[in-house]
Amino acid sequence: MSDATSSSEERARIDGKSTSLFDFYGKPKFLKVLPLSLQHLLAMIAGVITPPIIVAGVVGASVEEKLLLIQIAVLASGVCTVFHLYGVWKFGARLPAIFGVGFAYVPTLVAVGAQYGIEGILGAQLIGGMTMVVVGYFIQYIRHLFPPVVAGTVVLVIGLSLYDIAIRYMAGSGNVNAANFGDPINWIVAVVTLLTVLIAAQFGKGVIKLSAIIVGIVVGYLLSLSLGLVSFDNVANASWVAVPKLMPFEMEFHTAAIASMVVICVINSVQTIGDLSATTVGGMNRELKTKELTGGLLGNGLTTTVSSFFGALPTSTFSQNVGIVAMTKVISRYVLALAGIFMILAGLSPKFGAMITTIPYPVLGGATITVFGMITMTGIQLLVKDEMSARNMTIVGLSLALSLGIAAEPSAIEQFPAVLRDLIGGAPIVVAAITAFTLNIVLPKKSLSDEAKEREKIANEDKDTKDEANNQGDNLSQRSVHAE
């Protein structure tokens, strides 16, 4: 194919003439896109509304303030997603990724909110967002410090750390103390949803195969309705339209809160690197470009900063949606943009958003646990792009051991200072990112061939030592014979 032909095809793609689901610039027909967009929307909605619900409880927010935090979180997530898909100047990843109010910040938000309230959270978030912009600007100069062995480790831990969330959802709630948690009825709904997803994904054809998650959610939702597990109370009480206001809460700036938020924002930047890398490797079969990485980090810092002025919590990539992209290979930004538009509409219409939240937790858990598994496998895909040398296996193994070990036994760091305990105890991603990043810098760079040469050298030295010992033995024997 000539360069002219390739160039014309590229222009056709960018101009929106492509209709392929598997082309980032493709614009397929609406009816084909709709179920795929809803799939992304339903996969992320629980993750979007959970942080503001938790934070509202910690800071003692009123019912009106709680609904406001949820509404603005949904709206901000939709705006962030569309912003990153199309980008503005140097800001925006321009990749098939979903951005929104992130769950990874929750441990830090809880710690800061308990001491300084929502005002302290938003003030610290403003500084944290600016820090993320700085990290995004300099990432082009330090990207070599985040090779596949580091990014892959982070993605792998992201996937592994999500399993307990999926299991809790399948059991009935994100809160283990909730009423009817673990009820067999919840598990029946979750397993039926999961089996539907598997059947649609493995035996379905066309749109059914690509929309396996939404098919599972529909079946699970209908079963939940028949079992009386769906409540429409929130829908009846929600208003039709609500416009967000600038500065609904005041901001306060506290040194300890700012320090905690800056650290988690920097760590989240590493998670963003992992998620964007997983998106390109799993969905687009290529490595992440520096321009995309820089745009993603700059854009995430900007949206986190701006969100603080409207009462929305910090933003990040959504790992579960990365898993959907990796599983379906659908990368058309039109698909994800439509999901973002639905989020914007939900944010402007609390009643629409309330309708989405009627989906029971067991349905969401049964539908998304396969997605979390795909994230784990994408992390492994990233890892094997680097040689599995003894050095790299040490980096991966130790990062997994420390991060998942501390997460499994949080009492082991109970005597640590509160700020440090909240930082590393709440999210294994933090420990994994710090460990992998540090070891990659400290450990000497050795490839498989270097290690083979080293073993060969040791073997030769042992052989030489043995030969020398044999020669000395022969000499002694000869002396003994002559002496006799």
Side-chain angles (χ1 to χ4, degrees):
M1 183 183 293
S2 67
D3 292 340
T5 303
S6 300
S7 178
S8 62
E9 289 183 356
E10 181 70 16
R11 283 197 300 271
R13 291 172 58 241
I14 296 176
D15 289 342
K17 295 179 180 178
S18 171
T19 59
S20 174
L21 289 168
F22 310 103
D23 179 357
F24 181 66
Y25 297 103
K27 190 176 180 181
K29 293 181 179 179
F30 178 78
L31 291 179
K32 182 181 288 187
V33 166
L34 182 60
L36 302 176
S37 298
L38 291 176
Q39 184 167 257
H40 277 286
L41 174 65
L42 296 175
M44 72 181 290
I45 189 64
V48 170
I49 65 174
T50 301
I53 290 174
I54 293 174
V55 169
V58 170
V59 302
S62 65
V63 175
E64 292 76 14
E65 289 173 334
K66 179 179 178 180
L67 291 176
L68 174 61
L69 287 171
I70 294 173
Q71 177 202 349
I72 195 62
V74 174
L75 178 61
S77 299
V79 172
C80 290
T81 294
V82 176
F83 172 77
H84 275 279
L85 287 170
Y86 292 91
V88 177
W89 193 43
K90 294 184 178 181
F91 296 85
R94 296 174 175 85
L95 285 173
I98 294 288
F99 283 77
V101 171
F103 200 91
Y105 300 97
V106 168
T108 301
L109 296 177
V110 168
V112 173
Q115 190 168 358
Y116 303 109
I118 188 65
E119 296 83 4
I121 288 176
L122 296 176
Q125 178 182 328
L126 177 63
I127 307 302
M130 293 178 179
T131 304
M132 292 169 73
V133 172
V134 174
V135 172
Y137 178 78
F138 286 103
I139 194 67
Q140 57 187 313
Y141 305 109
I142 60 174
R143 189 187 175 187
H144 64 280
L145 299 177
F146 301 94
V149 69
V150 174
T153 299
V154 173
V155 174
L156 180 58
V157 172
I158 289 171
L160 294 174
S161 65
L162 290 171
Y163 291 161
D164 63 326
I165 296 175
I167 293 299
R168 286 200 297 271
Y169 282 8
M170 293 175 78
S173 175
N175 180 9
V176 296
N177 297 316
N180 299 322
F181 181 83
D183 191 306
I185 291 296
N186 294 332
W187 279 102
I188 290 172
V189 172
V191 170
V192 168
T193 303
L194 172 58
L195 290 176
T196 304
V197 171
L198 288 175
I199 292 170
Q202 300 302 319
F203 300 99
K205 303 291 184 182
V207 175
I208 295 297
K209 182 180 181 70
L210 296 177
S211 307
I213 293 174
I214 189 68
V215 172
I217 288 175
V218 168
V219 172
Y221 191 80
L222 292 175
L223 177 59
S224 300
L225 275 173
S226 67
L227 295 173
L229 300 179
V230 179
S231 172
F232 294 99
D233 292 343
N234 291 334
V235 179
N237 298 329
S239 59
W240 282 101
V241 178
V243 179
K245 298 178 182 179
L246 181 65
M247 296 290 289
F249 304 98
E250 293 182 359
M251 289 186 185
E252 294 179 2
F253 300 91
H254 304 275
T255 303
I258 291 172
S260 297
M261 192 66 75
V262 165
V263 171
I264 193 62
C265 283
V266 171
I267 294 299
N268 182 263
S269 296
V270 179
Q271 177 181 338
T272 301
I273 294 172
D275 278 340
L276 295 181
S277 297
T279 298
T280 56
V281 171
M284 307 172 83
N285 197 31
R286 65 170 175 81
E287 291 287 344
L288 178 66
K289 298 177 182 177
T290 299
K291 183 178 180 180
E292 295 165 340
L293 174 57
T294 301
L297 294 179
L298 286 173
N300 198 35
L302 179 62
T303 54
T304 294
T305 302
V306 173
S307 293
S308 64
F309 289 102
F310 293 91
L313 300 176
T315 60
S316 68
T317 47
F318 269 67
S319 300
Q320 56 265 51
N321 296 86
V322 172
I324 292 175
V325 170
M327 184 169 68
T328 65
K329 309 298 181 185
V330 174
I331 61 172
S332 167
R333 67 178 174 182
Y334 185 54
V335 173
L336 285 85
L338 187 59
I341 292 171
F342 282 139
M343 292 295 287
I344 293 172
L345 294 175
L348 293 174
S349 175
K351 192 173 288 290
F352 181 60
M355 188 66 194
I356 295 175
T357 62
T358 62
I359 301 172
Y361 279 107
V363 176
L364 293 173
T368 58
I369 192 167
T370 54
V371 173
F372 297 160
M374 286 301 300
I375 296 170
T376 303
M377 296 311 299
T378 300
I380 294 174
Q381 277 185 306
L382 273 171
L383 287 174
V384 298
K385 286 185 173 293
D386 268 347
E387 292 181 325
M388 281 294 97
S389 60
R391 171 190 183 273
N392 288 348
M393 286 193 290
T394 299
I395 293 174
V396 178
L398 191 54
S399 299
L400 289 174
L402 288 175
S403 60
L404 299 178
I406 292 174
E409 194 52 69
S411 61
I413 59 172
E414 198 63 38
Q415 302 301 316
F416 282 29
V419 172
L420 185 59
R421 186 175 64 245
D422 293 333
L423 176 65
I424 67 176
I429 300 166
V430 174
V431 177
I434 293 174
T435 305
F437 177 79
T438 304
L439 290 177
N440 182 62
I441 294 176
V442 173
L443 297 184
K445 302 289 191 294
K446 288 184 179 180
S447 64
L448 286 172
S449 60
D450 292 333
E451 292 175 357
K453 290 176 182 178
E454 192 174 84
R455 289 192 295 270
E456 185 178 347
K457 181 180 179 181
I458 293 173
N460 289 335
E461 288 175 352
D462 290 343
K463 183 179 179 182
D464 291 341
T465 302
K466 184 177 181 180
D467 290 343
E468 185 177 346
N470 289 336
N471 290 335
Q472 290 177 352
D474 292 341
N475 290 335
L476 288 174
S477 298
Q478 290 175 4
R479 290 195 191 101
S480 298
V481 171
H482 288 315
E484 292 176 1

